[in-house]
Amino acid sequence: MLRIGLTGGMGAGKSTVARLLAERGAVLVDSDVIAREVVAPGTEGLAALVAAFGDDILAADGSLDRPALAAKAFATDEARATLNGITHPLVGKRTTELIAAAPADGIVVQDIPLLVENGLGPFMNLVVVVMADIDTRVHRLEAFRGISPEDALVRIQAQATDEQRRAAGDVLLDNNGDSADLEPQVHALWEQRLVPFEENLRTGQRAPRGAVDLVDPDPTWAAQAQRLITRLHVACGDKARRIDHIGSTAVADLPAKDVLDIQITVADLAVADALRDALAAIGFPRLDLITTDDAKPGTDPALWEKRIHVNADPGRPVNIHVRVDGWPGQRFALAFVEWLRGDAAARAEYLEIKRKAAANAVGLSGPEAIDAYLAVKTPWFEQVYPRVLAATGQA
């Protein structure tokens, strides 16, 4: 199933987005609701808290007196660790149960206020962050929750910063306006990205791609790639020797196709094959049509074999190249980025080739466009291969 992490700062409107997604059919798993559920009267969670902190954390009706607990649990680091040691496993267990109960074709939205702070983004297929300016959030907290502006600001500043949330978010929803502005964004996210992503994930299909176009450099490419790399590290575990952002989008200020290229370096092709299911499960099915790079002159063609995975997510085109450590394709991918980053003339030369290749693919789409694009680039790569190795000290 597709797992979406939903987060946002206090007052940003995360709960509104959660409601809108649930209305469209999402299976909502709310961390705040679960956190209250696992310490309700009669639960093992509440019994454990009483045993650790005393009977005076209970209200007259036997329910948890949260302010009384907070006064004790947040008094010291040791007490806070005790609280977390009791509640976090229970929340995790219940979350796992709810996700397991969701249908196989479900879109599970996990509403997690501290997703960024707790580093949970890599465990999701996609992270959606609801954004709003601090002044807007303070006003909402005062108007709708009765929290003073001073207290609201203190609470907001204790959470992750907007910059940290932007870095963690695959999708940013602007909620500085009202619900009339927010609802179309949520509807578009659901219909254009989440629904097709879930179907592609379930059926093991790649998302369609259109024409081959060069676009201006996107300053967020590096951050987008880093989110993917972190997610891939979780999926690959110790099977990956290294994971790198490669290709044109890894070179600052270079126009490129809006496709992120990531290289996973492995010990051998058996390991590459062993990663097939793990990569498909996080949204990167294998493309069996391609099993090798074009061998360069004077090299062993067998050493250019690789595996390639592509995106099921229609909102982010990605090529994941799984190559063997030390083989020429793996070395060249890293050396090529190093060469471009360090040589302005090389970047200008490559950009000219890319423009010619894009022009050769005008009017085409899908595999035909890629073939036309590569028809121009492949001979050039053969020509510059020895230059790149010499320039980077790998000749």
Side-chain angles (χ1 to χ4, degrees):
M1 64 192 68
L2 185 67
R3 291 181 63 181
I4 306 301
L6 173 64
T7 194
M10 292 183 66
K14 174 176 55 62
S15 297
T16 301
V17 172
R19 175 180 57 78
L20 291 170
L21 289 171
E23 289 173 356
R24 282 161 175 78
V27 177
L28 183 61
V29 179
D30 190 324
S31 294
D32 281 346
V33 171
I34 295 171
R36 291 191 293 272
E37 178 184 317
V38 298
V39 293
T43 61
E44 62 174 303
L46 184 58
L49 290 178
V50 170
F53 296 102
D55 291 342
D56 53 344
I57 66 167
L58 295 176
D61 62 359
S63 64
L64 179 64
D65 184 336
R66 293 183 177 276
L69 173 63
K72 290 189 171 187
F74 295 104
T76 66
D77 290 341
E78 182 180 2
R80 185 183 296 108
T82 298
L83 172 66
N84 292 338
I86 293 170
T87 59
H88 286 185
L90 295 172
V91 170
K93 178 183 177 183
R94 182 57 179 153
T95 298
T96 300
E97 291 172 351
L98 292 172
I99 292 172
D105 61 350
I107 298 175
V108 176
V109 174
Q110 292 182 243
D111 183 337
I112 308 175
L114 299 182
L115 180 146
V116 175
E117 291 85 341
N118 291 332
L120 299 177
F123 301 94
M124 307 294 164
N125 294 116
L126 206 67
V127 172
V128 177
V129 180
V130 187
M131 302 292 295
D133 295 340
I134 289 180
D135 288 348
T136 300
R137 292 159 59 192
V138 168
H139 171 72
R140 288 173 181 162
L141 291 173
E142 181 181 19
F144 301 116
R145 299 195 200 175
I147 301 174
S148 72
E150 295 77 17
D151 189 20
L153 193 57
V154 168
R155 296 190 192 192
I156 287 172
Q157 291 174 341
Q159 294 184 324
T161 65
D162 286 348
E163 289 72 24
Q164 290 170 322
R165 290 195 183 91
R166 288 190 185 96
D170 301 290
V171 177
L172 304 179
L173 298 177
D174 182 355
N175 192 28
N176 281 296
D178 56 27
S179 58
D181 299 316
L182 181 62
E183 189 163 355
Q185 297 180 65
V186 176
H187 178 74
L189 171 65
W190 180 261
E191 294 293 337
Q192 298 172 20
R193 192 161 186 176
L194 301 189
V195 170
F197 191 176
E198 184 283 320
E199 182 177 1
N200 292 339
L201 182 69
R202 175 167 38 86
T203 59
Q205 299 297 313
R206 68 178 295 179
R209 295 190 188 176
V212 174
D213 295 314
L214 296 185
V215 300
D216 290 336
D218 185 339
T220 72
W221 276 336
Q224 292 182 52
Q226 188 54 53
R227 284 196 298 274
L228 291 174
I229 288 170
T230 305
R231 207 165 277 154
L232 289 167
H233 271 298
V234 171
C236 295
D238 60 5
K239 291 184 176 66
R241 291 190 169 179
R242 60 185 292 175
I243 305 179
D244 298 276
H245 183 195
I246 59 170
S248 300
T249 58
V251 182
D253 302 324
L254 182 66
K257 302 191 306 296
D258 187 20
V259 179
L260 298 180
D261 284 279
I262 307 292
Q263 177 171 271
I264 301 175
T265 297
V266 296
D268 52 46
L269 289 176
V271 175
D273 289 333
L275 287 173
R276 179 175 189 145
D277 291 344
L279 294 178
I282 65 168
F284 301 105
R286 195 161 89 179
L287 186 63
D288 288 323
L289 293 174
I290 300 176
T291 59
T292 185
D293 291 310
D294 293 311
K296 304 301 181 287
T299 64
D300 182 355
L303 297 182
W304 290 84
E305 192 172 350
K306 69 174 181 180
R307 303 293 181 261
I308 187 164
H309 293 249
V310 290
N311 56 293
D313 175 8
R316 170 28 66 203
V318 181
N319 296 325
I320 297 177
H321 311 262
V322 189
R323 296 187 174 107
V324 175
D325 198 2
W327 283 16
Q330 185 263 352
R331 293 172 54 229
F332 180 59
L334 299 175
F336 186 64
V337 172
E338 180 184 344
W339 180 58
L340 291 178
R341 287 173 174 169
D343 189 329
R347 291 195 297 276
E349 179 182 350
Y350 184 41
L351 179 57
E352 182 62 24
I353 292 297
K354 287 161 66 71
R355 285 173 172 158
K356 290 179 179 178
N360 198 47
V362 168
L364 303 175
S365 62
E368 289 183 349
I370 295 298
D371 288 344
Y373 187 79
L374 293 178
V376 175
K377 287 180 64 175
T378 297
W380 182 80
F381 275 121
E382 293 179 354
Q383 172 201 337
V384 302
Y385 177 69
R387 289 168 51 195
V388 172
L389 297 189
T392 57
Q394 298 195 44

